[in-house]
């Protein structure tokens, strides 16, 4: 969310510098920042109560949660010219902690964005598909080296430069899906890149 806010501010600043300022555009971007800020505030509260036993699950369609997640990061993806391909084939409702699921999806999307940006992939994309109770997120970033793919869910394991990653994001994501929601989070390589699958 913070990266998305920074991206919105940067693009608006550029518009002002180039004399392309429009009142309608300003109002829209301020609205985006407001929505993202509300989500960030909610996220802080979610993690404050992360281990509370009295949380309630919601019954929603996976598409709804994906749309909320994309809304938090879309400005950053556009800023980095990353295409998002959406194929929603499931109308099933699933029971989950929606705020925690959003955190998992955001983490996977941010990792994909960082990888595509770091490798300077030509025509980068992230593809999101749903099938029954499974959400798949893949990219064309070349995949994860086979020698480390088994370790990426380990706590404090990171492929990012020092200071750029903590190595707890994917570990926490796996814990959310498998321990909190009795689901499964897995990763494999495809011909073009990595694919993360979430099954509830």
């Amino acid at each position: 969310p913070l990266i998305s806010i920074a991206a919105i501010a940067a693009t608006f600043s550029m518009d002002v510098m180039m004399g392309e300022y429009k009142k309608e555009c300003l109002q829209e971007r301020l609205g985006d920042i407001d929505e993202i800020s509300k989500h960030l505030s909610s996220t802080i509260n979610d993690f404050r109560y992360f281990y509370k036993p009295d949380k309630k699950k919601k019954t929603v369609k996976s598409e709804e949660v994906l749309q909320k997640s994309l809304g938090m990061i879309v400005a950053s993806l556009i800023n980095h010219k990353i295409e998002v391909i959406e194929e929603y084939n499931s109308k099933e409702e699933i029971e989950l902690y929606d705020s925690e699921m959003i955190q998992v999806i955001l983490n996977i999307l941010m990792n994909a964005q960082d990888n595509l940006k770091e490798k300077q992939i030509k025509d980068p994309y992230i593809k999101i598909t749903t099938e029954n109770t499974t959400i798949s997120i893949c990219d064309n970033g070349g995949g994860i080296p086979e020698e480390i793919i088994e370790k990426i869910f380990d706590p404090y394991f990171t492929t990012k430069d020092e200071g750029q990653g903590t190595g707890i994001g994917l570990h926490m994501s796996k814990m959310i899906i498998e321990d909190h929601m009795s689901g499964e989070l897995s990763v494999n390589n495809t011909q073009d890149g990595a694919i993360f699958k979430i099954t509830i």
Side-chain angles (χ1 to χ4, degrees):
L2 289 174
I3 290 173
S4 291
I5 291 171
I8 292 169
T11 54
F12 181 68
S13 178
M14 184 66 71
D15 286 348
V16 172
M17 288 173 58
M18 297 178 69
E20 296 178 358
Y21 162 82
K22 292 181 181 178
K23 183 179 178 181
E24 298 79 14
C25 190
L26 169 62
Q27 290 175 326
E28 183 180 337
R29 288 176 179 167
L30 286 175
D32 290 340
I33 289 174
D34 185 53
E35 285 299 313
I36 293 168
S37 298
K38 287 176 182 175
H39 170 74
L40 190 54
S41 177
S42 174
T43 298
I44 291 167
N45 286 329
D46 289 339
F47 279 96
R48 184 178 296 162
Y49 299 109
F50 194 71
Y51 289 103
K52 292 275 185 178
D54 57 351
K55 294 179 296 184
K56 292 183 179 179
K57 288 184 177 180
K58 292 183 180 179
T59 302
V60 297
K61 292 179 181 178
S62 55
E63 181 177 343
E64 296 172 23
V65 181
L66 286 163
Q67 288 293 319
K68 284 184 182 179
S69 305
L70 279 171
M72 300 299 116
I73 192 178
V74 67
S76 184
L77 294 172
I78 291 171
N79 192 49
H80 291 102
K81 297 179 172 60
I82 298 172
E83 180 185 6
V84 178
I85 303 167
E86 299 170 76
E87 290 185 2
Y88 302 130
N89 305 308
S90 175
K91 298 298 181 184
E92 287 192 41
E93 292 188 329
I94 50 180
E95 192 177 41
L96 47 75
Y97 300 111
D98 63 338
S99 293
E100 290 188 9
M101 177 65 93
I102 288 172
Q103 291 306 312
V104 172
I105 294 167
L106 277 175
N107 189 53
I108 295 171
L109 291 174
M110 287 299 300
N111 283 344
Q113 175 184 270
D114 291 346
N115 182 51
L116 292 166
K117 187 172 63 173
E118 180 184 336
K119 293 180 179 176
Q120 298 182 343
I121 300 296
K122 184 180 179 182
D123 301 322
Y125 71 78
I126 296 173
K127 184 176 181 180
I128 303 170
T129 59
T130 63
E131 195 73 47
N132 298 322
T133 60
T134 297
I135 296 170
S136 300
I137 302 173
C138 64
D139 60 46
N140 62 336
I144 302 167
E146 291 298 330
E147 62 269 20
I148 66 168
I149 197 168
E150 297 294 329
K151 301 176 183 177
I152 66 165
F153 293 115
D154 291 352
Y156 306 110
F157 179 81
T158 180
T159 59
K160 297 178 182 177
D161 294 337
E162 188 174 349
Q164 298 298 310
T166 61
I168 62 170
L170 285 176
H171 173 69
M172 182 173 282
S173 295
K174 195 170 181 68
M175 184 170 65
I176 287 171
I177 298 299
E178 299 190 355
D179 293 351
H180 290 202
M181 301 188 205
S182 301
E184 182 182 4
L185 172 60
S186 62
V187 63
N188 291 290
N189 283 325
T190 67
Q191 185 175 351
D192 296 325
I195 179 168
F196 286 82
K197 288 189 177 182
I198 303 167
T199 302
I200 302 298

